[in-house]
Amino acid sequence: MAMVDITDPDNYPRYIAANKAAFDKYGAKFLVRGGEGQVYEGPAATRLVVIEFDSYQTALDCFHSPEYQAALKLRRQFSTAHFAIVEGA
C-alpha cells in the first residue's frame, strides 16, 4: 500500500508505464489505484494505492525485482511516497 504525492504530474505516467512489467510478472491486482479518497489522519497524499499479491513473498519479490527497481527510479524522480508491504490475514 502506498500514499503518493506526485511532484511531476506530466512525467508520473512514465512510472506507471514502467511498473507494468513487474506488476504483470508478479500478478499484482490493484484494489485501489488513484480515484477519489479522503485522508482523515496523518499526512495527506495526492494518490492512494493498494495492491494485492498472491502472497507476502510474491510482493517482496516484485518489489526487489529488476523490473520494479527500474520503475522505482522513475517514481522517485516524479513523486514522494509512504510505502509498505504488509502480510494480509
Side-chain angles (χ1 to χ4, degrees), residues 57-89:
Q57 187 60 53
T58 302
L60 293 173
D61 292 346
C62 180
F63 180 80
H64 293 292
S65 72
E67 297 90 349
Y68 188 74
Q69 290 301 303
L72 184 58
K73 289 178 184 176
L74 292 173
R75 205 268 304 140
R76 288 180 173 155
Q77 289 179 42
F78 311 135
S79 67
T80 59
H82 296 287
F83 183 90
I85 298 174
V86 181
E87 186 172 22

Side-chain angles (χ1 to χ4, degrees), residues 2-76:
M3 295 177 66
V4 181
D5 283 313
I6 299 170
T7 56
D8 185 345
D10 292 332
N11 282 304
Y12 191 80
R14 291 176 51 199
Y15 162 69
I16 293 172
N19 71 31
K20 184 174 178 5
F23 291 154
D24 286 352
K25 180 177 179 180
Y26 290 92
K29 179 181 177 186
F30 286 87
L31 303 179
V32 174
R33 189 175 199 180
E36 188 173 344
Q38 296 290 322
V39 176
Y40 288 100
E41 292 189 35
T46 55
R47 187 171 180 87
L48 304 172
V49 181
V50 177
I51 306 169
E52 181 180 59
F53 290 88
D54 287 339
S55 70
Y56 178 70
Q57 187 60 53
T58 302
L60 293 173
D61 292 346
C62 180
F63 180 80
H64 293 292
S65 72
E67 297 90 349
Y68 188 74
Q69 290 301 303
L72 184 58
K73 289 178 184 176
L74 292 173
R75 205 268 304 140
R76 288 180 173 155

